[in-house]
PDB file of all heavy atoms in Angstrom:
ATOM      1  N   GLU A 107       2.972   9.241 -23.871  1.00 97.00           N
ATOM      2  CA  GLU A 107       2.285  10.411 -24.430  1.00 97.00           C
ATOM      3  C   GLU A 107       1.076   9.992 -25.242  1.00 97.00           C
ATOM      4  O   GLU A 107       0.996   8.854 -25.719  1.00 97.00           O
ATOM      5  CB  GLU A 107       3.250  11.161 -25.362  1.00 97.00           C
ATOM      6  CG  GLU A 107       4.396  11.820 -24.631  1.00 97.00           C
ATOM      7  CD  GLU A 107       5.384  12.455 -25.594  1.00 97.00           C
ATOM      8  OE1 GLU A 107       5.126  12.431 -26.828  1.00 97.00           O
ATOM      9  OE2 GLU A 107       6.409  12.949 -25.113  1.00 97.00           O
ATOM     10  N   VAL A 108       0.173  10.942 -25.411  1.00 98.00           N
ATOM     11  CA  VAL A 108      -1.002  10.710 -26.254  1.00 98.00           C
ATOM     12  C   VAL A 108      -0.528  10.291 -27.644  1.00 98.00           C
ATOM     13  O   VAL A 108       0.393  10.891 -28.198  1.00 98.00           O
ATOM     14  CB  VAL A 108      -1.879  11.983 -26.325  1.00 98.00           C
ATOM     15  CG1 VAL A 108      -2.975  11.825 -27.377  1.00 98.00           C
ATOM     16  CG2 VAL A 108      -2.480  12.279 -24.957  1.00 98.00           C
ATOM     17  N   GLY A 109      -1.136   9.226 -28.173  1.00 98.00           N
ATOM     18  CA  GLY A 109      -0.767   8.728 -29.495  1.00 98.00           C
ATOM     19  C   GLY A 109       0.174   7.538 -29.438  1.00 98.00           C
ATOM     20  O   GLY A 109       0.333   6.822 -30.436  1.00 98.00           O
ATOM     21  N   ASP A 110       0.814   7.300 -28.275  1.00 96.00           N
ATOM     22  CA  ASP A 110       1.718   6.154 -28.161  1.00 96.00           C
ATOM     23  C   ASP A 110       0.939   4.842 -28.310  1.00 96.00           C
ATOM     24  O   ASP A 110      -0.207   4.733 -27.855  1.00 96.00           O
ATOM     25  CB  ASP A 110       2.430   6.151 -26.797  1.00 96.00           C
ATOM     26  CG  ASP A 110       3.561   7.165 -26.739  1.00 96.00           C
ATOM     27  OD1 ASP A 110       3.848   7.786 -27.777  1.00 96.00           O
ATOM     28  OD2 ASP A 110       4.133   7.341 -25.643  1.00 96.00           O
ATOM     29  N   ALA A 111       1.605   3.858 -28.909  1.00 96.00           N
ATOM     30  CA  ALA A 111       0.991   2.539 -29.090  1.00 96.00           C
ATOM     31  C   ALA A 111       1.470   1.585 -28.005  1.00 96.00           C
ATOM     32  O   ALA A 111       2.664   1.547 -27.682  1.00 96.00           O
ATOM     33  CB  ALA A 111       1.349   1.990 -30.467  1.00 96.00           C
ATOM     34  N   LEU A 112       0.535   0.844 -27.421  1.00 96.00           N
ATOM     35  CA  LEU A 112       0.836  -0.155 -26.390  1.00 96.00           C
ATOM     36  C   LEU A 112       0.063  -1.417 -26.747  1.00 96.00           C
ATOM     37  O   LEU A 112      -0.760  -1.421 -27.661  1.00 96.00           O
ATOM     38  CB  LEU A 112       0.358   0.324 -25.017  1.00 96.00           C
ATOM     39  CG  LEU A 112       0.726   1.722 -24.541  1.00 96.00           C
ATOM     40  CD1 LEU A 112      -0.110   2.089 -23.332  1.00 96.00           C
ATOM     41  CD2 LEU A 112       2.195   1.743 -24.171  1.00 96.00           C
ATOM     42  N   GLU A 113       0.314  -2.468 -25.962  1.00 98.00           N
ATOM     43  CA  GLU A 113      -0.503  -3.675 -26.118  1.00 98.00           C
ATOM     44  C   GLU A 113      -1.108  -4.027 -24.765  1.00 98.00           C
ATOM     45  O   GLU A 113      -0.446  -3.884 -23.736  1.00 98.00           O
ATOM     46  CB  GLU A 113       0.344  -4.841 -26.597  1.00 98.00           C
ATOM     47  CG  GLU A 113       0.859  -4.694 -28.012  1.00 98.00           C
ATOM     48  CD  GLU A 113       1.912  -5.758 -28.291  1.00 98.00           C
ATOM     49  OE1 GLU A 113       3.020  -5.638 -27.738  1.00 98.00           O
ATOM     50  OE2 GLU A 113       1.603  -6.698 -29.040  1.00 98.00           O
ATOM     51  N   VAL A 114      -2.337  -4.504 -24.787  1.00 98.00           N
ATOM     52  CA  VAL A 114      -2.972  -4.933 -23.538  1.00 98.00           C
ATOM     53  C   VAL A 114      -3.571  -6.329 -23.724  1.00 98.00           C
ATOM     54  O   VAL A 114      -4.039  -6.677 -24.811  1.00 98.00           O
ATOM     55  CB  VAL A 114      -4.073  -3.949 -23.062  1.00 98.00           C
ATOM     56  CG1 VAL A 114      -3.461  -2.608 -22.690  1.00 98.00           C
ATOM     57  CG2 VAL A 114      -5.173  -3.781 -24.098  1.00 98.00           C
ATOM     58  N   HIS A 115      -3.529  -7.102 -22.641  1.00 98.00           N
ATOM     59  CA  HIS A 115      -4.101  -8.451 -22.659  1.00 98.00           C
ATOM     60  C   HIS A 115      -5.196  -8.504 -21.604  1.00 98.00           C
ATOM     61  O   HIS A 115      -4.949  -8.239 -20.428  1.00 98.00           O
ATOM     62  CB  HIS A 115      -3.014  -9.486 -22.352  1.00 98.00           C
ATOM     63  CG  HIS A 115      -3.488 -10.900 -22.435  1.00 98.00           C
ATOM     64  ND1 HIS A 115      -3.561 -11.736 -21.334  1.00 98.00           N
ATOM     65  CD2 HIS A 115      -3.939 -11.621 -23.482  1.00 98.00           C
ATOM     66  CE1 HIS A 115      -4.018 -12.918 -21.719  1.00 98.00           C
ATOM     67  NE2 HIS A 115      -4.252 -12.872 -23.017  1.00 98.00           N
ATOM     68  N   GLY A 116      -6.378  -8.835 -22.038  1.00 97.00           N
ATOM     69  CA  GLY A 116      -7.461  -8.892 -21.058  1.00 97.00           C
ATOM     70  C   GLY A 116      -8.806  -9.051 -21.743  1.00 97.00           C
ATOM     71  O   GLY A 116      -8.865  -9.333 -22.932  1.00 97.00           O
ATOM     72  N   PRO A 117      -9.892  -8.893 -21.014  1.00 98.00           N
ATOM     73  CA  PRO A 117      -9.928  -8.572 -19.590  1.00 98.00           C
ATOM     74  C   PRO A 117      -9.576  -9.799 -18.749  1.00 98.00           C
ATOM     75  O   PRO A 117      -9.888 -10.919 -19.127  1.00 98.00           O
ATOM     76  CB  PRO A 117     -11.378  -8.128 -19.363  1.00 98.00           C
ATOM     77  CG  PRO A 117     -12.165  -8.866 -20.407  1.00 98.00           C
ATOM     78  CD  PRO A 117     -11.260  -9.015 -21.586  1.00 98.00           C
ATOM     79  N   LEU A 118      -8.951  -9.569 -17.599  1.00 98.00           N
ATOM     80  CA  LEU A 118      -8.472 -10.654 -16.743  1.00 98.00           C
ATOM     81  C   LEU A 118      -9.157 -10.603 -15.378  1.00 98.00           C
ATOM     82  O   LEU A 118      -9.473  -9.529 -14.869  1.00 98.00           O
ATOM     83  CB  LEU A 118      -6.963 -10.537 -16.550  1.00 98.00           C
ATOM     84  CG  LEU A 118      -6.114 -10.621 -17.834  1.00 98.00           C
ATOM     85  CD1 LEU A 118      -4.663 -10.272 -17.515  1.00 98.00           C
ATOM     86  CD2 LEU A 118      -6.210 -11.998 -18.463  1.00 98.00           C
ATOM     87  N   GLY A 119      -9.301 -11.783 -14.786  1.00 96.00           N
ATOM     88  CA  GLY A 119      -9.825 -11.860 -13.418  1.00 96.00           C
ATOM     89  C   GLY A 119     -11.326 -12.077 -13.401  1.00 96.00           C
ATOM     90  O   GLY A 119     -12.088 -11.234 -13.858  1.00 96.00           O
ATOM     91  N   GLY A 120     -11.718 -13.243 -12.894  1.00 92.00           N
ATOM     92  CA  GLY A 120     -13.148 -13.540 -12.802  1.00 92.00           C
ATOM     93  C   GLY A 120     -13.644 -13.587 -11.365  1.00 92.00           C
ATOM     94  O   GLY A 120     -14.835 -13.771 -11.122  1.00 92.00           O
ATOM     95  N   TRP A 121     -12.743 -13.410 -10.405  1.00 94.00           N
ATOM     96  CA  TRP A 121     -13.085 -13.550  -8.994  1.00 94.00           C
ATOM     97  C   TRP A 121     -13.255 -12.188  -8.330  1.00 94.00           C
ATOM     98  O   TRP A 121     -14.203 -11.963  -7.587  1.00 94.00           O
ATOM     99  CB  TRP A 121     -11.978 -14.362  -8.292  1.00 94.00           C
ATOM    100  CG  TRP A 121     -12.094 -14.480  -6.816  1.00 94.00           C
ATOM    101  CD1 TRP A 121     -11.221 -14.010  -5.887  1.00 94.00           C
ATOM    102  CD2 TRP A 121     -13.133 -15.123  -6.071  1.00 94.00           C
ATOM    103  NE1 TRP A 121     -11.660 -14.309  -4.620  1.00 94.00           N
ATOM    104  CE2 TRP A 121     -12.830 -14.993  -4.708  1.00 94.00           C
ATOM    105  CE3 TRP A 121     -14.305 -15.802  -6.455  1.00 94.00           C
ATOM    106  CZ2 TRP A 121     -13.634 -15.512  -3.697  1.00 94.00           C
ATOM    107  CZ3 TRP A 121     -15.119 -16.319  -5.443  1.00 94.00           C
ATOM    108  CH2 TRP A 121     -14.777 -16.169  -4.091  1.00 94.00           C
ATOM    109  N   PHE A 122     -12.320 -11.287  -8.630  1.00 97.00           N
ATOM    110  CA  PHE A 122     -12.352  -9.957  -8.001  1.00 97.00           C
ATOM    111  C   PHE A 122     -13.246  -9.034  -8.835  1.00 97.00           C
ATOM    112  O   PHE A 122     -12.827  -8.008  -9.360  1.00 97.00           O
ATOM    113  CB  PHE A 122     -10.928  -9.403  -7.906  1.00 97.00           C
ATOM    114  CG  PHE A 122     -10.785  -8.289  -6.902  1.00 97.00           C
ATOM    115  CD1 PHE A 122     -10.594  -8.565  -5.555  1.00 97.00           C
ATOM    116  CD2 PHE A 122     -10.850  -6.970  -7.296  1.00 97.00           C
ATOM    117  CE1 PHE A 122     -10.474  -7.544  -4.627  1.00 97.00           C
ATOM    118  CE2 PHE A 122     -10.728  -5.944  -6.374  1.00 97.00           C
ATOM    119  CZ  PHE A 122     -10.543  -6.227  -5.046  1.00 97.00           C
ATOM    120  N   VAL A 123     -14.498  -9.455  -9.005  1.00 97.00           N
ATOM    121  CA  VAL A 123     -15.438  -8.657  -9.797  1.00 97.00           C
ATOM    122  C   VAL A 123     -16.757  -8.544  -9.047  1.00 97.00           C
ATOM    123  O   VAL A 123     -17.075  -9.372  -8.186  1.00 97.00           O
ATOM    124  CB  VAL A 123     -15.709  -9.269 -11.199  1.00 97.00           C
ATOM    125  CG1 VAL A 123     -14.459  -9.286 -12.038  1.00 97.00           C
ATOM    126  CG2 VAL A 123     -16.304 -10.657 -11.080  1.00 97.00           C
ATOM    127  N   TRP A 124     -17.485  -7.513  -9.384  1.00 97.00           N
ATOM    128  CA  TRP A 124     -18.828  -7.320  -8.830  1.00 97.00           C
ATOM    129  C   TRP A 124     -19.693  -6.774  -9.958  1.00 97.00           C
ATOM    130  O   TRP A 124     -19.272  -5.878 -10.692  1.00 97.00           O
ATOM    131  CB  TRP A 124     -18.799  -6.329  -7.663  1.00 97.00           C
ATOM    132  CG  TRP A 124     -20.169  -6.054  -7.122  1.00 97.00           C
ATOM    133  CD1 TRP A 124     -20.816  -6.741  -6.146  1.00 97.00           C
ATOM    134  CD2 TRP A 124     -21.061  -5.022  -7.547  1.00 97.00           C
ATOM    135  NE1 TRP A 124     -22.077  -6.199  -5.940  1.00 97.00           N
ATOM    136  CE2 TRP A 124     -22.244  -5.146  -6.787  1.00 97.00           C
ATOM    137  CE3 TRP A 124     -20.991  -4.006  -8.515  1.00 97.00           C
ATOM    138  CZ2 TRP A 124     -23.341  -4.297  -6.956  1.00 97.00           C
ATOM    139  CZ3 TRP A 124     -22.076  -3.165  -8.684  1.00 97.00           C
ATOM    140  CH2 TRP A 124     -23.225  -3.312  -7.900  1.00 97.00           C
ATOM    141  N   ARG A 125     -20.887  -7.367 -10.108  1.00 95.00           N
ATOM    142  CA  ARG A 125     -21.779  -6.898 -11.173  1.00 95.00           C
ATOM    143  C   ARG A 125     -23.078  -6.386 -10.572  1.00 95.00           C
ATOM    144  O   ARG A 125     -23.652  -7.042  -9.694  1.00 95.00           O
ATOM    145  CB  ARG A 125     -22.122  -8.027 -12.141  1.00 95.00           C
ATOM    146  CG  ARG A 125     -20.935  -8.609 -12.856  1.00 95.00           C
ATOM    147  CD  ARG A 125     -21.377  -9.611 -13.905  1.00 95.00           C
ATOM    148  NE  ARG A 125     -20.230 -10.326 -14.415  1.00 95.00           N
ATOM    149  CZ  ARG A 125     -19.873 -11.541 -14.004  1.00 95.00           C
ATOM    150  NH1 ARG A 125     -20.578 -12.175 -13.082  1.00 95.00           N
ATOM    151  NH2 ARG A 125     -18.818 -12.119 -14.522  1.00 95.00           N
ATOM    152  N   PRO A 126     -23.556  -5.235 -11.030  1.00 94.00           N
ATOM    153  CA  PRO A 126     -24.818  -4.724 -10.506  1.00 94.00           C
ATOM    154  C   PRO A 126     -25.959  -5.685 -10.786  1.00 94.00           C
ATOM    155  O   PRO A 126     -25.962  -6.386 -11.808  1.00 94.00           O
ATOM    156  CB  PRO A 126     -25.034  -3.403 -11.276  1.00 94.00           C
ATOM    157  CG  PRO A 126     -23.907  -3.237 -12.201  1.00 94.00           C
ATOM    158  CD  PRO A 126     -22.985  -4.401 -12.098  1.00 94.00           C
ATOM    159  N   GLY A 127     -26.905  -5.750  -9.894  1.00 92.00           N
ATOM    160  CA  GLY A 127     -28.127  -6.499 -10.148  1.00 92.00           C
ATOM    161  C   GLY A 127     -28.036  -7.982  -9.872  1.00 92.00           C
ATOM    162  O   GLY A 127     -29.024  -8.701 -10.002  1.00 92.00           O
ATOM    163  N   VAL A 128     -26.880  -8.495  -9.526  1.00 92.00           N
ATOM    164  CA  VAL A 128     -26.718  -9.934  -9.330  1.00 92.00           C
ATOM    165  C   VAL A 128     -27.122 -10.364  -7.925  1.00 92.00           C
ATOM    166  O   VAL A 128     -27.685 -11.433  -7.726  1.00 92.00           O
ATOM    167  CB  VAL A 128     -25.260 -10.359  -9.639  1.00 92.00           C
ATOM    168  CG1 VAL A 128     -25.012 -11.803  -9.265  1.00 92.00           C
ATOM    169  CG2 VAL A 128     -24.957 -10.128 -11.114  1.00 92.00           C
ATOM    170  N   SER A 129     -26.817  -9.536  -6.930  1.00 92.00           N
ATOM    171  CA  SER A 129     -27.082  -9.914  -5.553  1.00 92.00           C
ATOM    172  C   SER A 129     -27.388  -8.654  -4.746  1.00 92.00           C
ATOM    173  O   SER A 129     -26.877  -7.570  -5.061  1.00 92.00           O
ATOM    174  CB  SER A 129     -25.839 -10.618  -4.973  1.00 92.00           C
ATOM    175  OG  SER A 129     -25.857 -10.591  -3.562  1.00 92.00           O
ATOM    176  N   ASP A 130     -28.226  -8.810  -3.722  1.00 92.00           N
ATOM    177  CA  ASP A 130     -28.480  -7.642  -2.863  1.00 92.00           C
ATOM    178  C   ASP A 130     -27.642  -7.704  -1.585  1.00 92.00           C
ATOM    179  O   ASP A 130     -27.897  -6.985  -0.632  1.00 92.00           O
ATOM    180  CB  ASP A 130     -29.978  -7.498  -2.547  1.00 92.00           C
ATOM    181  CG  ASP A 130     -30.535  -8.750  -1.888  1.00 92.00           C
ATOM    182  OD1 ASP A 130     -29.734  -9.674  -1.600  1.00 92.00           O
ATOM    183  OD2 ASP A 130     -31.756  -8.802  -1.663  1.00 92.00           O
ATOM    184  N   ARG A 131     -26.626  -8.586  -1.566  1.00 95.00           N
ATOM    185  CA  ARG A 131     -25.745  -8.643  -0.389  1.00 95.00           C
ATOM    186  C   ARG A 131     -25.009  -7.322  -0.201  1.00 95.00           C
ATOM    187  O   ARG A 131     -24.577  -6.699  -1.182  1.00 95.00           O
ATOM    188  CB  ARG A 131     -24.685  -9.736  -0.570  1.00 95.00           C
ATOM    189  CG  ARG A 131     -25.211 -11.135  -0.335  1.00 95.00           C
ATOM    190  CD  ARG A 131     -24.106 -12.136  -0.514  1.00 95.00           C
ATOM    191  NE  ARG A 131     -23.147 -12.122   0.596  1.00 95.00           N
ATOM    192  CZ  ARG A 131     -22.137 -12.966   0.695  1.00 95.00           C
ATOM    193  NH1 ARG A 131     -21.942 -13.880  -0.227  1.00 95.00           N
ATOM    194  NH2 ARG A 131     -21.337 -12.917   1.730  1.00 95.00           N
ATOM    195  N   PRO A 132     -24.816  -6.903   1.050  1.00 97.00           N
ATOM    196  CA  PRO A 132     -23.992  -5.717   1.281  1.00 97.00           C
ATOM    197  C   PRO A 132     -22.587  -5.933   0.715  1.00 97.00           C
ATOM    198  O   PRO A 132     -22.106  -7.069   0.660  1.00 97.00           O
ATOM    199  CB  PRO A 132     -23.939  -5.602   2.812  1.00 97.00           C
ATOM    200  CG  PRO A 132     -25.058  -6.439   3.320  1.00 97.00           C
ATOM    201  CD  PRO A 132     -25.295  -7.512   2.308  1.00 97.00           C
ATOM    202  N   VAL A 133     -21.960  -4.852   0.300  1.00 98.00           N
ATOM    203  CA  VAL A 133     -20.606  -4.918  -0.257  1.00 98.00           C
ATOM    204  C   VAL A 133     -19.706  -3.958   0.513  1.00 98.00           C
ATOM    205  O   VAL A 133     -20.019  -2.777   0.656  1.00 98.00           O
ATOM    206  CB  VAL A 133     -20.607  -4.565  -1.757  1.00 98.00           C
ATOM    207  CG1 VAL A 133     -19.178  -4.454  -2.290  1.00 98.00           C
ATOM    208  CG2 VAL A 133     -21.380  -5.615  -2.547  1.00 98.00           C
ATOM    209  N   GLN A 134     -18.608  -4.499   0.998  1.00 98.00           N
ATOM    210  CA  GLN A 134     -17.609  -3.708   1.709  1.00 98.00           C
ATOM    211  C   GLN A 134     -16.364  -3.601   0.841  1.00 98.00           C
ATOM    212  O   GLN A 134     -15.779  -4.620   0.464  1.00 98.00           O
ATOM    213  CB  GLN A 134     -17.240  -4.370   3.043  1.00 98.00           C
ATOM    214  CG  GLN A 134     -16.168  -3.627   3.806  1.00 98.00           C
ATOM    215  CD  GLN A 134     -16.666  -2.272   4.306  1.00 98.00           C
ATOM    216  OE1 GLN A 134     -17.668  -2.205   4.999  1.00 98.00           O
ATOM    217  NE2 GLN A 134     -15.972  -1.203   3.943  1.00 98.00           N
ATOM    218  N   LEU A 135     -15.965  -2.374   0.523  1.00 98.00           N
ATOM    219  CA  LEU A 135     -14.742  -2.145  -0.237  1.00 98.00           C
ATOM    220  C   LEU A 135     -13.682  -1.599   0.721  1.00 98.00           C
ATOM    221  O   LEU A 135     -13.968  -0.677   1.488  1.00 98.00           O
ATOM    222  CB  LEU A 135     -15.003  -1.131  -1.355  1.00 98.00           C
ATOM    223  CG  LEU A 135     -16.205  -1.415  -2.268  1.00 98.00           C
ATOM    224  CD1 LEU A 135     -16.431  -0.249  -3.236  1.00 98.00           C
ATOM    225  CD2 LEU A 135     -16.007  -2.719  -3.043  1.00 98.00           C
ATOM    226  N   VAL A 136     -12.470  -2.150   0.655  1.00 98.00           N
ATOM    227  CA  VAL A 136     -11.370  -1.667   1.506  1.00 98.00           C
ATOM    228  C   VAL A 136     -10.161  -1.440   0.594  1.00 98.00           C
ATOM    229  O   VAL A 136      -9.648  -2.391  -0.005  1.00 98.00           O
ATOM    230  CB  VAL A 136     -11.007  -2.666   2.618  1.00 98.00           C
ATOM    231  CG1 VAL A 136      -9.905  -2.083   3.508  1.00 98.00           C
ATOM    232  CG2 VAL A 136     -12.223  -3.044   3.453  1.00 98.00           C
TER     233      VAL A 136
END
Side-chain angles (χ1 to χ4, degrees):
E107 292 175 4
V108 171
D110 283 355
L112 311 167
E113 292 169 288
V114 294
H115 184 246
L118 299 171
W121 174 243
F122 199 84
V123 296
W124 177 89
R125 299 186 190 99
V128 172
S129 160
D130 57 5
R131 283 181 73 176
V133 172
Q134 178 68 56
L135 309 174
V136 183

